[in-house]
Amino acid sequence: MRVLISGAGIAGPSLAWWLQRYGFACTVVERSPTLRTEGQNVDIRGAAREVVRRMGLDDEVAARSTGEQGTRFIDGAGHSVAEFPVTHSDTEGATAEREILRGQLASLLYEQTRGAADYRFGHRIAEVRDGEREVTVSFDQGGSESFDLVVLAEGVNSRSRDSIVNTAITERSLGLTIAYYSVERSAADDDWWRWYNALGGRTISLRPDNLGRIRVSLSFLSDARVDSDPDLGSPKDELTERFRDAGGPAGRVLAGLADADDLYVERLRQIRADRWSNGRTVLLGDAAWCATPVSGMGTSLAVVGAYVLAGELAAHVHHQDGLAAYERVMRPYVDQAQDLPPGTPRLAHPRSRPGLAAFRTALRLAGSPAFAPVRRRMFAPPADRLQLPDFRHLETTRSS
Ligand SMILES: Cc1cc2nc3c(=O)[nH]c(=O)nc-3n(C[C@H](O)[C@H](O)[C@H](O)COP(=O)(O)OP(=O)(O)OC[C@H]3O[C@@H](n4cnc5c(N)ncnc54)[C@H](O)[C@@H]3O)c2cc1C
């Protein structure tokens, strides 16, 4: 089978890894001229951790860990309100045991697959013509080729999704915007994720990485498009205006924002698609089901989805049966990941002084030993609520 994958993020290269294992020929097109290595900490949890073990990459991921020791909520003076050390569970904890920078995971997956898959950077699909026996794809850069299957793993902002897969897409905004960038590490920084709440539904968070920098995120309750309103000036100006009076670490992180060359601003929204495939085209990863970073599940879903899609294609003679099985296995898992706890993200972004006091009281309670069972539920995304299908018997038969 010849498979074209569009998108070399996390889902695309993960899929290429498994497809090559089953003897499929893979071409990966990525619209960016080089591999995109931006992004901050992502978690590999539950079933995804097991998939990474089956890939033999758990030690490689551990070696690239950000080294985060846990999550600490701080007040304006930097004192701890409550703290939650990293757990040694596959699933629980705000800080997962396998925390890795998105760019380092993308690079690892790319390095693992570049020998066997045909990667084409600066390439984008222009048109897809679905036929009975194969699908013909033309590219923006010219030329056309035929494949047996096209997989769109283009992330939340996929443009081809609607036109090619022809499925009804619903976007659900979470009413939260997050700006990500990094600043220089200082002697006062430690290896904890520090989370600071400011009034007005704003947070500042600082996380260690393994590259000697501190990853900052500024989040605020709003549906405003920070990057597209010319009246508001540049995103940096608007973020500075919004956080100027936030207190706590605001002075430091806004000083660092002025020099940041890695600013990335995202309005959080979930993607729900009526169906994930149509004929010989199929959606994978955030393009199919973005759950947003607050779910703690985006990367885990991409890794698991790639494993299931490749395995089901290998397990079935007809691609349409494999695609149906992929959706049957993944749909309930994705639904649980998208079903965020009630009050998300508003409860963690209190606007008023009483709201902030109540949030901090809840954190203190949750941090106390007596509340260990509640704590486990609070920070345990449903990453392990999937019985992973076992495709190991196919690896030997298909690749021999
Ligand atoms: C630059 C960047 C930074 C991110 N930072 C974070 C973060 O800090 N925290 C977090 O939780 N999640 C982050 N994410 C999202 C996270 O990677 C995903 O939620 C998750 O890993 C699922 O990955 P994915 O492969 O489905 O999508 P993505 O990782 O978004 O990858 C999609 C890929 O498809 C490419 N692409 C898009 N359109 C086309 C097209 N038409 N043709 C060809 N290629 C195309 C994109 O350039 C990208 O390389 C980030 C994503 C990106 C792209």
Side-chain angles (χ1 to χ4, degrees):
M1 225 185 176
R2 299 152 303 162
V3 181
L4 173 68
I5 302 169
S6 180
I10 303 298
S14 300
L15 180 68
W17 196 96
W18 284 106
L19 289 178
Q20 71 189 33
R21 191 77 166 209
Y22 300 129
F24 293 65
C26 289
T27 302
V28 185
V29 289
E30 162 61 48
R31 77 170 167 190
S32 161
T34 53
L35 189 73
R36 297 192 69 182
T37 54
E38 306 105 297
Q40 304 205 342
N41 310 41
V42 294
D43 309 336
I44 297 175
R45 293 179 185 268
R49 178 97 188 262
E50 176 55 24
V51 170
V52 167
R53 285 194 190 103
R54 290 184 190 178
M55 296 166 90
L57 295 179
D58 196 41
D59 289 345
E60 300 267 7
V61 171
R64 291 163 176 78
S65 158
T66 59
E68 194 170 283
Q69 303 290 302
T71 308
R72 178 184 295 138
F73 292 84
I74 57 170
D75 63 17
H79 298 136
S80 173
V81 172
E83 51 188 53
F84 305 91
V86 62
T87 65
H88 297 293
S89 139
D90 271 8
T91 302
E92 293 163 13
T95 296
E97 195 181 25
R98 288 289 179 267
E99 292 269 348
I100 180 171
L101 289 180
R102 178 194 171 277
Q104 295 202 338
L105 180 60
S107 300
L108 173 64
L109 293 166
Y110 171 60
E111 288 303 327
Q112 288 280 324
T113 49
R114 62 186 293 192
D118 173 13
Y119 275 89
R120 301 178 196 170
F121 289 94
H123 266 67
R124 193 156 46 180
I125 295 175
E127 199 194 347
V128 170
R129 263 174 292 124
D130 208 341
E132 203 175 302
R133 293 186 161 273
E134 57 185 17
V135 52
T136 306
V137 179
S138 57
F139 298 97
D140 271 357
Q141 292 63 28
S144 69
E145 281 171 60
S146 296
F147 299 90
D148 297 295
L149 190 73
V150 174
V151 183
L152 301 181
E154 299 175 349
V156 63
N157 297 317
S158 169
R159 294 233 175 91
S160 346
R161 179 172 50 206
D162 308 14
S163 58
I164 296 178
V165 180
N166 192 21
T167 173
I169 304 281
T170 315
E171 288 193 12
R172 180 182 159 242
S173 168
L174 296 195
L176 186 73
T177 298
I178 307 185
Y180 303 96
Y181 60 100
S182 64
V183 297
E184 271 182 35
R185 196 181 165 103
S186 78
D189 288 317
D190 59 18
D191 283 333
W192 282 70
W193 175 5
R194 283 160 292 160
W195 172 293
Y196 169 71
N197 282 91
L199 294 175
R202 296 171 292 176
T203 76
I204 300 175
S205 103
L206 300 113
R207 304 183 77 167
D209 71 16
N210 53 341
L211 303 175
R213 293 187 69 77
I214 292 291
R215 305 277 162 162
V216 175
S217 62
L218 309 176
S219 65
F220 52 95
L221 293 176
S222 167
D223 254 338
R225 291 195 63 121
V226 170
D227 51 354
S228 64
D229 188 341
D231 294 340
L232 295 172
S234 82
K236 287 186 178 178
D237 292 342
E238 202 213 325
L239 289 165
T240 304
E241 206 44 54
R242 279 185 185 271
F243 281 83
R244 195 186 296 285
D245 64 347
R252 174 197 177 182
V253 299
L254 292 180
L257 175 62
D259 299 330
D261 59 5
D262 54 355
L263 176 66
Y264 173 73
V265 185
E266 185 185 11
R267 265 181 330 122
L268 269 53
R269 58 199 209 283
Q270 293 192 332
I271 300 293
R272 292 166 198 242
D274 269 7
R275 59 193 162 116
W276 294 334
S277 64
N278 182 23
R280 289 177 179 272
T281 55
V282 57
L283 297 171
L284 174 69
D286 275 7
W289 56 58
C290 180
T292 75
V294 297
S295 73
M297 289 283 289
T299 296
S300 295
L301 290 176
V303 168
V304 174
Y307 168 82
V308 173
L309 177 56
E312 296 296 356
L313 287 171
H316 289 87
V317 175
H318 299 295
H319 71 274
Q320 58 270 45
D321 296 333
L323 297 181
Y326 155 66
E327 186 148 349
R328 230 178 5 256
V329 173
M330 285 302 293
R331 187 61 88 164
Y333 190 50
V334 166
D335 285 348
Q336 291 181 75
Q338 290 193 326
D339 186 14
L340 301 174
T344 306
R346 286 187 320 281
L347 288 181
H349 291 78
R351 290 182 192 272
S352 66
R353 219 167 276 285
L356 180 56
F359 180 59
R360 288 189 173 154
T361 302
L363 287 172
R364 280 191 198 97
L365 280 174
S368 67
F371 277 79
V374 180
R375 184 162 66 233
R376 255 178 240 127
R377 277 209 301 280
M378 269 173 75
F379 294 128
D384 56 358
R385 294 200 208 137
L386 174 73
Q387 187 70 41
L388 267 187
D390 198 338
F391 302 117
R392 272 172 280 205
H393 60 291
L394 298 167
E395 290 177 34
T396 41
T397 48
R398 282 272 180 158
S399 54
S400 59

